[in-house]
Amino acid sequence: MDMLWSGWGDPAKAAPLPDSVIGLLRDLLGVTPRKSGPAGLGDIAVPESGLTDAARRALAAAVGDDAHVRTDAETRIRHTRGKSTPDLLRIRAGEVDDIPAAVVLPASHDEVLALLRACAEHGLAVVPFGGGTSVVGGLAPEAEHGFVALDLRRLDALVALDEVSRTAVLQPGLRAPHAEALLNERGFTLGHFPQSYEWATIGGFAAARSSGQASAGYGRFDEMVLGLTVATPEGTLEAGRAPRSAAGPDLRQLVLGSEGALGVITSVTVRIRPLPQTRVYEGWRFESFEAGAAALRALAQDGPRPTVLRLSDETESFIGLAQPDRIGSADAPQSVGCMAIAGYEGTAEDTADRRARAREVLLAHGGEFTGEEPGERWAHGRYNAPYLRDALLDAGAFAETLETAAFWSALPGLYDAVRQALTAALTEAGTPPLVMCHISHVYENGASLYFTVVSAQGEDPVAHWAPVKRAANDAILAAGGTISHHHGVGTDHRDWFAREIGPVGVRVLQAVKAELDPSGILNPGVLIPVR
């Protein structure tokens, strides 16, 4: 099944907001219904492909069949941009000025190589397309002469599984649930469950340095990757032949997070773990975000570390976004304080031991145990937030997310700076917001902050958001945060990423791109500033 072209996920799972929430949005934020609904798929005026006959023949020869080169309007619309709020608002308005000229579906590494050579020859830019879940402009290249979307869905196999070494070789087009099912059949799990889990792909996880909700226990995706095969216009790059190596710089780390700008990932070797015997999730309440963060830091630094560990601030806890499926329901939490979720996965003995020891730490930091029900409800609704975002857009609200990370000592200042920047910029624009935040990924030395912003849309919500996003990005860098913890760079963060790594870092990436992609066809303008 394809994802909803004008929103998130499976349309059957979408649900409108309760009247109580719509009333709250009206009274609190001044949200009013949109004057018109989204455009229909058949109503969008799609420009001609622009693909020449010679280019189409070359693409078809590369992938073995003209049927795997698609230029129909619906397929091209479904591969236009990603799933950020501006992306969705533009597609709902019928704006497809940056639609791909064609969608091409290779089925092997060699076909990807041939396709890249054909695109270089005909001056076509190439955007690798997995699940289409980018929220940072990662699928919106700056291509002067048109581009093709390289859809990787036909590369969807579990190539090999080594039970002795506990590794698996996966193709990039595998959607996460399918990959997990294939591993589960053999008694293993990847342990990677980001909010985009139901739709994102293995290749996308690697290309964007994804981080799953169970990262405290399983690690980030880039920590799971042991090897990569990459197709580039200049040939094949292989990186990683052992779990660790001192044979020069680690080229895996160059590919991870490269967002299709340096090559197309065609296989990933990952670390896998035995399926857990037990999964238990529980809720905790803290008086303040500061107290809860101190408890999370203690567990991250001194243990025992839960598999899942997250903390919502006072606003997010009060609204109920810590458990999206409860928003607007009669039993939504209304108590003050901050909700934390701790989850434990593993053997029954290990889970019980870590849970008991973590309980003592949480209690010592002022935590109040609220039972398993909040944790289980979080686990049940852990992928629902993007559907909630769509419902808010339908109701006339603007809802968007952004995230960052910093060292523990810088985290309080970063939290305050971003909240203040968002609130000030949106209030000045006449749409005072509701700003919520949670910590969802913890490390010995720091943690991530994930912000959700809700406001009225304004007359032109895309233009309305642009200066707000710039203000938030500026605040992140000024307060010592990284411009992205797990969403990636894309075009939305590119200029701030350049500031973060500095001019020498930018020139290093430009030099690598010039070597691997001399024609500049790979996702131009994404990640790497154009010279």
Side-chain angles (χ1 to χ4, degrees):
M1 182 200 312
D2 287 323
M3 189 188 293
L4 177 64
W5 67 276
S6 59
W8 181 265
D10 180 357
K13 294 183 178 180
L17 293 175
D19 290 341
S20 59
V21 175
I22 292 176
L24 180 65
L25 292 170
R26 180 189 62 242
D27 298 340
L28 183 64
L29 302 175
V31 171
T32 57
R34 295 283 294 168
K35 296 177 182 178
S36 60
L41 182 60
D43 298 328
I44 296 178
V46 177
E48 291 296 322
S49 163
L51 197 67
T52 66
D53 290 342
R56 182 174 186 121
R57 288 194 298 270
L59 297 180
V63 296
D65 192 328
D66 189 65
H68 300 313
V69 181
R70 301 178 184 175
T71 55
D72 63 282
E74 179 174 341
T75 300
R76 291 165 64 207
I77 290 171
R78 290 184 179 278
H79 290 76
T80 300
R81 298 186 291 273
K83 297 297 182 180
S84 71
T85 295
D87 287 342
L88 295 187
L89 288 169
R90 290 181 62 200
I91 201 75
R92 286 172 171 223
E95 296 180 20
V96 290
D97 52 301
D98 50 356
I99 194 169
V103 178
V104 189
L105 294 88
S108 69
H109 174 80
D110 287 344
E111 288 189 3
V112 174
L113 284 175
L115 177 62
L116 295 180
R117 288 193 293 268
C119 287
E121 180 182 348
H122 290 273
L124 288 168
V126 179
V127 178
F129 194 100
T133 61
S134 171
V135 292
V136 292
L139 302 175
E142 297 177 356
E144 295 182 9
H145 306 295
F147 71 98
V148 299
L150 194 164
D151 190 315
L152 293 157
R153 71 180 63 192
R154 295 176 67 213
L155 281 86
D156 64 349
L158 167 60
V159 178
L161 192 149
D162 181 343
E163 295 185 2
V164 175
S165 303
R166 290 185 178 174
T167 65
V169 180
L170 307 172
Q171 288 188 317
L174 267 174
R175 272 187 22 205
H178 187 197
E180 189 67 15
L182 291 171
L183 294 173
N184 289 176
E185 290 173 2
R186 302 283 293 273
F188 292 95
T189 180
L190 188 56
H192 192 68
F193 306 103
Q195 195 172 82
S196 61
Y197 170 77
E198 295 173 312
W199 297 93
T201 61
I202 296 299
F205 290 156
R209 287 191 183 272
S210 174
S211 191
Q213 294 167 341
S215 63
Y218 291 103
R220 293 164 52 96
F221 193 79
D222 50 8
E223 296 170 326
M224 302 176 186
V225 174
L226 303 174
L228 293 154
T229 301
V230 185
T232 81
E234 293 297 289
T236 299
L237 173 66
E238 298 274 4
R241 60 187 301 160
R244 294 291 186 273
S245 172
D250 189 348
L251 293 181
R252 292 174 297 191
Q253 298 304 318
L254 187 62
V255 175
L256 292 166
S258 60
E259 301 183 27
L262 302 179
V264 180
I265 297 168
T266 58
S267 76
V268 183
T269 301
V270 292
R271 175 198 72 204
I272 54 177
R273 298 276 175 79
L275 266 175
Q277 298 173 355
T278 305
R279 290 186 172 99
V280 182
Y281 308 100
E282 60 189 31
W284 289 81
R285 178 187 168 277
F286 290 88
E287 288 293 333
S288 67
F289 197 51
E290 181 182 11
L296 266 61
R297 179 168 66 88
L299 290 173
Q301 290 183 333
D302 302 319
R305 188 177 293 190
T307 309
V308 172
L309 190 58
R310 53 196 294 124
L311 171 73
S312 294
D313 70 2
E314 291 89 344
T315 307
E316 186 171 286
S317 298
F318 179 77
I319 294 298
L321 195 58
Q323 297 172 304
D325 58 339
R326 296 182 70 172
I327 291 179
S329 65
D331 61 345
Q334 297 298 321
S335 62
V336 295
C338 298
M339 175 181 286
I341 300 294
Y344 305 88
E345 300 182 8
T347 65
E349 180 181 3
D350 173 65
T351 296
D353 176 66
R354 280 190 294 135
R355 189 181 183 193
R357 290 189 292 126
R359 177 187 180 93
E360 296 303 315
V361 175
L362 295 167
L363 287 171
H365 282 80
E368 175 190 342
F369 181 63
T370 57
E372 292 183 13
E373 193 269 346
E376 295 299 329
R377 287 199 69 124
W378 169 81
H380 179 264
R382 65 196 298 183
Y383 309 125
N384 288 354
Y387 292 101
L388 174 62
R389 188 266 307 267
D390 286 2
L392 286 165
L393 295 182
D394 291 340
F398 184 95
E400 184 59 300
T401 62
L402 55 95
E403 44 74 42
T404 180
F407 296 116
W408 284 111
S409 59
L411 215 62
L414 178 62
Y415 172 71
D416 289 339
V418 176
R419 288 173 70 238
Q420 290 170 10
L422 290 167
T423 301
L426 281 163
T427 301
E428 183 179 348
T431 54
L434 192 66
V435 180
M436 298 162 277
C437 183
H438 65 252
I439 296 172
S440 52
H441 307 279
V442 297
Y443 308 94
E444 180 179 356
N445 308 111
S448 69
L449 293 175
Y450 188 102
F451 295 88
T452 300
V453 188
V454 182
S455 72
Q457 289 189 6
E459 287 299 316
D460 184 346
V462 175
H464 190 72
W465 174 247
V468 180
K469 176 69 169 175
R470 289 195 295 270
N473 289 351
D474 287 342
I476 286 171
L477 292 190
T482 178
I483 198 59
S484 177
H485 171 264
H486 59 270
H487 281 170
V489 175
T491 53
D492 293 359
H493 295 152
R494 180 194 60 209
D495 296 342
W496 288 266
F497 173 57
R499 286 163 54 184
E500 183 173 327
I501 65 175
V504 174
V506 170
R507 291 199 299 272
V508 169
L509 289 179
Q510 289 173 333
V512 173
K513 184 170 177 66
E515 183 64 31
L516 296 176
D517 179 25
S519 299
I521 64 169
L522 290 170
N523 229 356
V526 169
L527 180 69
I528 300 172
V530 178
R531 287 182 183 272

